[in-house]
Amino acid sequence: MATLNRDGVRHNTLKMLLPTLCQMMPQAELLGVLQRKMPEYIREQDCTTLVANFYEKYVDPNRPLNHKQCEVFLKSLRVMTDESEATDSTEQTLQWKLNVKSMPIGLRESMKGNPECMHMPLVVGLMPCLMAMASDVEVRYIDGRRHHLGGMSIIQADQASNKSAIEAAVDLWMAPIRKEDEVARQREEQISTRNKNRKNNERGEADPKLLVREVPITISCSRLLKRLKIAKGKTLYSFCPEMDTLVKSNSAGNWSAKYDIYRMSFDRGRWGQDYNSDQAESGVANVAYNWTILGTPGSIKRCFKADNVENGLSGRMMVSEIPDDPYAKVMVFDEPSAVDVQNIEQAVAILRGCTGYYDTPRLRKAIGDWVEEKRQEAALALDRAKAVFRKRAAVIGFRCGVVYMLLAGKESKSCLEFARLMADYTLQMQIKNFGPVLMQQYERSHSFSSIQPSANHIIFDELPTTFLMSDLRAMKGAEYSDGALYSIIHRWTKEGWIEKTSHRTYKKLKYPSRVA
């Protein structure tokens, strides 16, 4: 039961299990179970106090679990006991292997010349790019609704960990589109220059409204809206070699709306804005926008704080990690041959030439079976993170399978295996990178929803979104010392309720009233 005893998660794990365990057995019996299953944690006061508080405040002896609930729960405990050791022991050594020889044109060439450990990061990094090229394709998902191929991916790696290999692969695929974009941008710049140099009595040339498919990740909301309106359903794409660029640009003001745009782009939701000024773009458009971002673990944590995990953005992400061993020998990469480049260009032409509705019955069934398997696994293990992330991981795996099918020309067995592999990989990486934050948010909401809010909860609700220490002092009263006030501030910051924005100013983060 290594998972239960892992430092940093055992408190939250036990807290999730207690509402059920307390209804199944008396307190003394539960302590005996914990003595066997969590021998180190049971010796700590935190554990015994947590158990005692639950039995005192939440146990209703008149509402025990029914027989079926006990049966399912006990089965889940047996599954956790029998399998967790094997899972924990192989988690770090589990290898995700792609059958490169069976991959279709373009993908196969993208893997050549790269070490095997780079194959999954390469595929994950390329998928949003390839999906953007097939922007005119529609498919029907297992829920009966039609989908376009929206996708966003993050490649995580430490410094000097060969992230540039992802960029090199994207460069090969984007080369034909970048040539077209360059012509359009030069035309825009020529007209803009002539309009700036025109005489006062001369009429300026009209905006040419030319399609540009690749945009910088730092593009403003107004400019992005304009590009989306001109694109008329063609998917735009961004590649960013460093996530900190995104974090810094999207942290304040109107930039913060970009995170909402990213969420809507997954399913081409409609987004727009309305301004009186002629300098800012107004209107509404369907958000067809994919991107690939490379970043260090620290930058990803800064981007995906509690709100970007809880609001569903994290579940829309494909995430991959480039393995890093600081003592390993230098990886050797081979240059693609002229034939490889030619085949990738042919693959680009295939994807850009695909239009209309494609029926994928075999792919739908494969992903439908997969998502049902994960539902049952999550239910038996009481794994809420898996239950949440499995849904969009299935969508992502399905869309990856569609790209594979378009390049291969058929729903082959290898296509179905690839779709399931990508769903599996996406789910594991989402749980690993975002699961702990999601469970902290859920645990906090669950634990506080049934108890009376404290005085500090009420004061927190009444503080303005941005506040000073003097605001808190005015509400708490003059009898509270500076030390007591700073203790409150420290606790709120540690629990993710607020962040410090300047020397004296604090900002409230997303916070469900009476919950967090």
Side-chain angles (χ1 to χ4, degrees), residues 346-365:
Q346 183 180 342
V348 172
I350 291 173
L351 292 178
R352 298 183 71 182
C354 294
T355 60
Y357 173 71
Y358 285 75
D359 193 22
T360 57
R362 296 184 67 196
L363 194 53
R364 281 199 301 273
K365 184 179 187 307

Side-chain angles (χ1 to χ4, degrees), residues 47-312:
C47 178
T48 55
T49 301
L50 180 62
V51 171
N53 287 342
F54 258 85
Y55 274 91
E56 179 182 350
K57 297 179 180 179
Y58 303 116
V59 173
D60 183 356
N62 298 317
R63 295 187 61 188
L65 296 180
N66 61 41
H67 177 74
K68 185 62 178 178
Q69 288 172 317
C70 289
E71 180 183 338
V72 171
F73 187 73
L74 288 172
K75 185 177 180 181
S76 73
L77 289 181
R78 286 195 296 273
V79 170
M80 293 170 67
T81 302
D82 295 340
E83 298 183 358
S84 62
E85 287 85 356
T87 301
D88 291 332
S89 64
T90 60
E91 182 179 359
Q92 300 302 321
T93 59
L94 185 61
Q95 296 294 320
W96 296 87
K97 293 187 178 181
L98 290 165
N99 188 353
V100 175
K101 293 183 179 180
S102 69
M103 296 184 83
I105 186 171
L107 283 176
R108 181 176 58 248
E109 287 75 15
S110 297
M111 302 299 109
K112 288 176 61 177
N114 290 279
E116 187 177 277
C117 64
M118 291 295 296
H119 288 174
M120 285 306 295
L122 281 165
V123 169
V124 172
L126 282 171
M127 275 298 151
C129 172
L130 275 56
M131 292 176 184
M133 293 176 183
S135 60
D136 294 328
V137 169
E138 277 191 290
V139 287
R140 191 178 302 281
Y141 188 55
I142 61 176
D143 59 4
R145 292 182 295 179
R146 291 201 176 194
H147 283 210
H148 289 88
L149 303 182
M152 296 165 282
S153 67
I154 295 173
I155 311 301
Q156 176 177 296
D158 289 318
Q159 298 181 25
S161 298
N162 299 298
K163 294 193 292 291
S164 58
I166 313 298
E167 186 171 7
V170 171
D171 288 344
L172 289 174
W173 283 84
M174 288 297 294
I177 289 178
R178 285 173 178 169
K179 290 179 181 178
E180 298 171 7
D181 283 358
E182 182 61 26
V183 173
R185 289 185 182 277
Q186 286 179 359
R187 174 66 175 158
E188 288 178 340
E189 187 174 347
Q190 290 169 358
I191 293 177
S192 175
T193 301
R194 287 200 293 268
N195 283 337
K196 290 179 181 178
N197 295 334
R198 67 184 173 85
K199 297 179 181 179
N200 292 336
N201 60 348
E202 291 180 344
R203 176 180 294 180
E205 295 183 55
D207 185 344
K209 296 185 178 179
L210 300 173
L211 173 63
V212 173
R213 298 290 298 276
E214 186 176 27
V215 299
I217 198 70
T218 54
I219 187 172
S220 69
C221 292
S222 182
R223 189 67 172 170
L224 178 59
L225 177 57
K226 182 176 181 178
R227 292 293 189 198
L228 290 170
K229 288 166 63 178
I230 293 173
K232 296 181 179 178
K234 297 287 186 181
T235 305
L236 307 185
Y237 176 74
S238 290
F239 179 86
C240 178
E242 183 47 63
M243 176 167 277
D244 264 334
T245 304
L246 174 71
V247 175
K248 292 174 182 177
S249 67
N250 290 12
S251 60
N254 193 40
W255 289 99
S256 60
K258 292 282 282 295
Y259 292 118
D260 295 327
I261 296 171
Y262 300 153
R263 287 203 310 276
M264 287 182 283
S265 69
F266 190 75
D267 293 307
R268 285 206 183 179
R270 288 180 64 77
W271 165 79
Q273 57 189 17
D274 197 358
Y275 291 108
N276 291 326
S277 171
D278 293 334
Q279 304 300 316
E281 189 72 21
S282 295
V284 179
N286 290 101
V287 184
Y289 181 35
N290 294 0
W291 49 249
T292 301
I293 297 178
L294 315 182
T296 62
S299 65
I300 292 175
K301 288 180 180 179
R302 287 190 291 274
C303 180
F304 287 92
K305 297 180 181 178
D307 53 347
N308 277 337
V309 172
E310 187 184 27
N311 65 18

Side-chain angles (χ1 to χ4, degrees), residues 394-464:
V395 176
I396 291 170
F398 174 77
R399 293 179 182 179
C400 291
V402 172
V403 172
Y404 192 109
M405 180 270 297
L406 294 174
L407 291 172
K410 59 181 180 180
E411 292 181 279
S412 61
K413 180 181 179 182
S414 60
C415 171
L416 307 184
E417 292 173 349
F418 177 77
R420 289 179 63 99
L421 175 68
M422 295 307 294
D424 271 324
Y425 185 76
T426 298
L427 177 60
Q428 175 168 312
M429 297 306 294
Q430 287 178 345
I431 292 174
K432 178 179 179 180
N433 287 279
F434 309 127
V437 179
L438 178 68
M439 295 314 299
Q440 287 172 9
Q441 291 296 102
Y442 172 72
E443 182 269 335
R444 183 178 298 157
S445 174
H446 178 75
S447 62
F448 279 98
S449 60
S450 60
I451 62 176
Q452 187 68 22
S454 69
N456 285 346
H457 292 149
I458 297 172
I459 287 175
F460 184 86
D461 278 349
E462 295 177 355
L463 283 168

